Amino acid sequence: MPKSFRRMTRKVGMPPGSLVYTGEKGHLPAKITITRYNEQAIVESQVDSFAECQMASAPGEVTWINVIGISKVKDLEQVGECFKIHPLVLEDILEVGQRPKVEDYDDYLYIVLNSIQPAADGEKLVAEEISLVLGPHYLLSFYSGADDIYSSIRERLLQAKGRIRKFGADYLAYSLIDLVVDNYFVELEKFGEQMESLEDAVVAQPSPQTLRHVHRFKNDMIILRKSLWPLREVIARLERRESPLISENLGNYFRDVYDHTIIAIDTVETYRDILSGMLDIYLSSMSNRLNEIMKVLTIIATIFMPLTFITSLYGMNFKHMPELQWEYGYFVVIGVVVVVAVSMLEYFRRKHWI
């Protein structure tokens, strides 16, 4: 049974909205960072729990609460009470393995993404879940991993680079989504470089290890595809600005992210076709290699068949046999054996069998 199904069994029989963490990193403490900013100033602080959070924002100020590694139900209940978040949304935040989606709750938008994390050599690709709650003047981000994937966004905020401090919480949400999509391209570029060398290995010297690499890449492409295809629909909805929480001037920005998502999807589909072709090439190469081995063995067996007949004929224990007492009989038999072998090899060569 897949791990995602085993995690879901923890909630069997519970009512909707039950807060149960279904991930595997419940031992990690939550890292909570609160960033309040406007065009003129920015204040960033870290707290140990949501009980210490002052959720109120000044007029014209954006509040960004970033949570890394949330797994404690009590912490999530506190933030739910402060921002009036629906229990089903809180349940989805704790439920690891959600499909990318966007849900409109009038007062806020709930967005789910999957962030691709770099995998070490020989290891499976990992997709970590990101939950965003976008309100009029605030953004809550929950990340199931342990790394700070938004360090570049935080640096832009601190140094007031670009437009990020001039716009509202919706532009901040766009920046986070754009960063997630850009990370897909980083991993796809690595895949492209690795698959070039893998393709050469499949053609030149296929081996069981090469086959394992092909299957690992195919599994990684499945993970990427499952993350990117639903993400396309999420960004398309945000681009249409169906919610008043998305300002009109963000349409072009989300359209740009949508185009990038389509390019990433096309790249994944191309890589999947290449990997399928590699698998066919591997099977063909192994089949051809086996055929070459069988051909050599067949030629050897065919050559030795008449030689075996000759030697076995003169190995019979009869007292009266032709040329048995002849002085040159042994050398004549050896000569016949050599002539037969050379003649068969020449015949195979002219037939282009060898």
Side-chain angles (χ1 to χ4, degrees):
M1 182 184 295
K3 290 183 179 180
S4 57
F5 290 165
R6 291 200 298 267
R7 292 194 294 261
M8 290 296 294
T9 58
R10 302 176 190 175
K11 301 178 62 177
V12 172
M14 293 184 177
S18 300
L19 302 185
V20 177
Y21 179 67
T22 59
E24 299 179 353
K25 300 178 181 178
H27 61 284
L28 297 177
K31 300 178 182 179
I32 307 170
T33 304
I34 303 177
T35 306
R36 294 187 177 88
Y37 67 90
N38 53 30
E39 189 174 354
Q40 289 76 30
I42 180 171
V43 177
E44 185 178 77
S45 60
Q46 292 187 350
V47 296
D48 296 328
S49 68
F50 284 103
E52 306 175 25
C53 298
Q54 299 296 324
M55 303 301 180
S57 299
E61 186 179 65
V62 176
T63 300
W64 175 26
I65 300 179
N66 183 38
V67 184
I68 300 175
I70 186 167
S71 60
K72 301 296 185 289
V73 173
K74 183 178 180 181
D75 289 341
L76 201 59
E77 287 177 340
Q78 290 174 344
V79 74
E81 292 175 0
C82 291
F83 289 94
K84 309 301 180 184
I85 300 176
H86 197 282
L88 292 178
V89 174
L90 301 178
E91 180 184 16
D92 286 346
I93 293 174
L94 288 175
E95 190 173 306
V96 177
Q98 288 286 322
R99 184 177 184 269
K101 62 180 180 178
V102 56
E103 296 176 351
D104 191 348
Y105 285 85
D106 295 332
D107 295 334
Y108 57 88
L109 291 176
Y110 175 55
I111 305 169
V112 179
L113 312 170
N114 284 331
S115 175
I116 298 299
Q117 295 305 302
D121 293 340
E123 294 185 2
K124 187 178 179 181
L125 197 68
V126 178
E128 298 285 2
E129 182 178 317
I130 297 174
S131 296
L132 303 178
V133 178
L134 173 62
H137 305 290
Y138 66 85
L139 177 68
L140 312 179
S141 58
F142 303 91
Y143 178 55
S144 60
D147 301 325
D148 185 7
I149 61 173
Y150 296 137
S151 57
S152 60
I153 302 295
R154 188 170 291 106
E155 182 181 355
R156 286 165 53 190
L157 280 170
L158 293 173
Q159 298 182 6
K161 291 183 177 180
R163 305 175 178 85
I164 193 166
R165 294 242 311 249
K166 299 178 182 179
F167 293 116
D170 52 352
Y171 188 87
L172 176 61
Y174 151 75
S175 300
L176 302 186
I177 296 172
D178 183 57
L179 179 62
V180 170
V181 175
D182 288 343
N183 286 335
Y184 281 99
F185 285 98
V186 174
E187 292 304 310
L188 288 173
E189 184 178 358
K190 294 179 182 178
F191 278 124
E193 296 174 354
Q194 294 173 2
M195 281 196 292
E196 287 181 4
S197 58
L198 180 61
E199 191 171 15
D200 294 338
V202 169
V203 175
Q205 193 175 5
S207 64
Q209 184 178 4
T210 306
L211 181 61
R212 287 194 294 270
H213 286 317
V214 172
H215 280 297
R216 179 173 63 85
F217 280 125
K218 285 179 68 69
N219 291 334
D220 290 343
M221 289 302 111
I222 291 174
I223 294 174
L224 287 171
R225 192 173 188 272
K226 288 174 63 178
S227 300
L228 280 169
W229 275 93
L231 180 60
R232 181 187 65 170
E233 301 302 324
V234 170
I235 298 175
R237 283 192 59 185
L238 296 174
E239 179 194 352
R240 291 193 293 267
R241 302 186 306 279
E242 298 174 351
S243 171
L245 295 172
I246 305 295
S247 57
E248 294 184 3
N249 57 357
L250 285 185
N252 293 331
Y253 293 99
F254 279 113
R255 188 177 303 111
D256 180 66
V257 179
Y258 181 82
D259 293 339
H260 291 172
T261 307
I262 296 299
I263 294 173
I265 291 174
D266 291 341
T267 305
V268 169
E269 295 300 326
T270 301
Y271 286 170
R272 291 185 69 206
D273 294 339
I274 293 174
L275 288 169
S276 298
M278 284 187 191
L279 188 58
D280 293 338
I281 292 173
Y282 174 84
L283 295 176
S284 299
S285 300
M286 295 303 294
S287 179
N288 291 336
R289 188 176 177 183
L290 179 61
N291 290 339
E292 290 293 330
I293 295 173
M294 294 301 298
K295 183 177 72 173
V296 172
L297 295 177
T298 303
I299 289 174
I300 294 174
T302 304
I303 292 175
F304 274 88
M305 282 175 61
L307 307 186
T308 304
F309 170 74
I310 294 173
T311 55
S312 62
L313 180 66
Y314 279 90
M316 293 187 296
N317 296 321
F318 290 103
K319 184 176 181 181
H320 301 287
M321 290 185 67
E323 292 86 26
L324 187 62
Q325 302 297 326
W326 187 29
E327 181 179 357
Y328 303 103
Y330 170 77
F331 301 102
V332 171
V333 171
I334 294 298
V336 170
V337 168
V338 172
V339 170
V340 170
V342 171
S343 300
M344 295 186 69
L345 285 172
E346 180 64 20
Y347 177 77
F348 292 154
R349 188 184 65 80
R350 291 185 178 183
K351 289 288 186 179
H352 301 288
W353 292 350
I354 57 175

